Amino acid sequence: MGKILVVLTNTIEYNGTDQATGLWLGEATEFVDEVTKAGFDIDYVSPKGGFVPLDPRSFKYTDKSTMDIYSSSDFQQRALTNSLKPSEVHPEDYQAIYYTGGHGVMWDFPTNPELQDITRKIYQQGGFVTSVCHGIAGLLNVKDADDNYLIAGKKITGFTTAEEILAGKRKVVPFLNEEVAKLHGANFQKKRAYKEFAIQDGQLITGQNPFSARAVAKILIQN
């Protein structure tokens, strides 16, 4: 079927605090479960490469498929221990890029020029740019060949301001995804807090919250 690049965070704590964060496990495993069953191969990349921490709160929402992937040597080695550096990625190899969430991404996804370049190249070659939850932070500042924001004029979704308040993290995150998305011209869509919701607009496929990873994968597979 092709290959998908999954983007993970290296951030281990909320900046300025001693609170642990990292990858929201299910946002990687649920997506990977769906697309690998559909025949796609997966590579994993992070802003720095190497070690990827896990948000401890995400273990409250595991199921058998998540634990099967989490316990596999492939995921442990290629995703959590030895994720690729952006410089090791060849964009022409991928049909899609998928940005996972977890609050850590708010600090290391938005301003990484290498990841932005990879995203732009995958998009320009006709590939899909996808994300779930806080992973939308990786799309907010990506620009196209004409120096316009990739999300401008597009229907997208991601972790909402209401969900950030409910999560109790409004005062510790560096910005609000919903606000920046609108500022950069996106037509931000949302449903009730923590309800599964994913949307496609052309080559962009985005999911609102941690419960939307499979929905993003299923839309991508249909394409």
Side-chain angles (χ1 to χ4, degrees), residues 4-222:
I4 300 170
L5 184 64
V6 174
V7 190
L8 314 167
T9 185
N10 300 118
T11 306
I12 66 171
E13 63 185 11
Y14 293 88
N15 192 35
T17 78
D18 57 1
Q19 301 175 50
T21 186
L23 164 68
W24 195 272
L25 181 59
E27 293 178 24
T29 57
E30 292 179 14
F31 177 88
V32 168
D33 183 46
E34 293 291 337
V35 297
T36 53
K37 286 190 296 188
F40 287 94
D41 292 325
I42 298 292
D43 281 339
Y44 301 95
V45 66
S46 61
K48 296 179 180 177
F51 174 68
V52 169
L54 295 173
D55 190 313
R57 296 178 306 144
S58 66
F59 284 96
K60 297 178 183 178
Y61 302 95
T62 57
D63 57 17
K64 185 180 185 302
S65 67
T66 284
M67 292 309 295
D68 284 347
I69 293 171
Y70 174 53
S71 62
S72 70
S73 59
D74 178 73
F75 189 79
Q76 290 175 8
Q77 290 301 314
R78 295 200 305 123
L80 302 181
T81 307
N82 297 304
S83 64
L84 296 170
K85 296 178 181 178
S87 60
E88 297 174 309
V89 169
H90 302 286
E92 63 272 15
D93 293 341
Y94 301 96
Q95 288 185 289
I97 186 169
Y98 170 70
Y99 283 87
T100 61
H103 277 94
V105 310
M106 300 286 281
W107 284 274
D108 63 357
F109 278 10
T111 57
N112 187 287
E114 293 175 298
L115 288 175
Q116 291 175 16
D117 186 57
I118 291 168
T119 303
R120 179 168 45 252
K121 287 178 178 176
I122 290 174
Y123 184 84
Q124 288 173 341
Q125 67 197 24
F128 289 89
V129 173
T130 73
S131 68
V132 73
C133 198
H134 288 90
I136 193 67
L139 308 189
L140 295 177
N141 296 319
V142 178
K143 293 187 175 181
D144 62 20
D146 297 319
D147 203 37
N148 298 312
Y149 287 112
L150 198 63
I151 61 173
K154 300 291 198 305
K155 292 181 179 179
I156 65 167
T157 191
F159 205 61
T160 66
T161 298
E163 287 168 325
E164 203 68 84
I165 292 170
L166 289 170
K169 303 302 181 184
R170 167 66 182 88
K171 295 182 178 180
V172 294
V173 292
F175 60 89
L176 295 169
N177 283 303
E178 182 177 348
E179 285 188 2
V180 176
K182 291 176 179 177
L183 184 66
H184 290 179
N187 183 354
F188 193 89
Q189 308 284 300
K190 58 186 175 182
K191 286 196 174 180
R192 181 171 55 84
Y194 297 107
K195 179 181 177 62
E196 179 187 86
F197 177 57
I199 188 170
Q200 177 176 1
D201 190 338
Q203 292 166 246
L204 300 184
I205 304 171
T206 50
Q208 181 173 319
N209 50 45
F211 307 105
S212 306
R214 289 189 187 276
V216 172
K218 289 174 181 177
I219 293 174
L220 177 61
I221 291 166
Q222 290 172 0

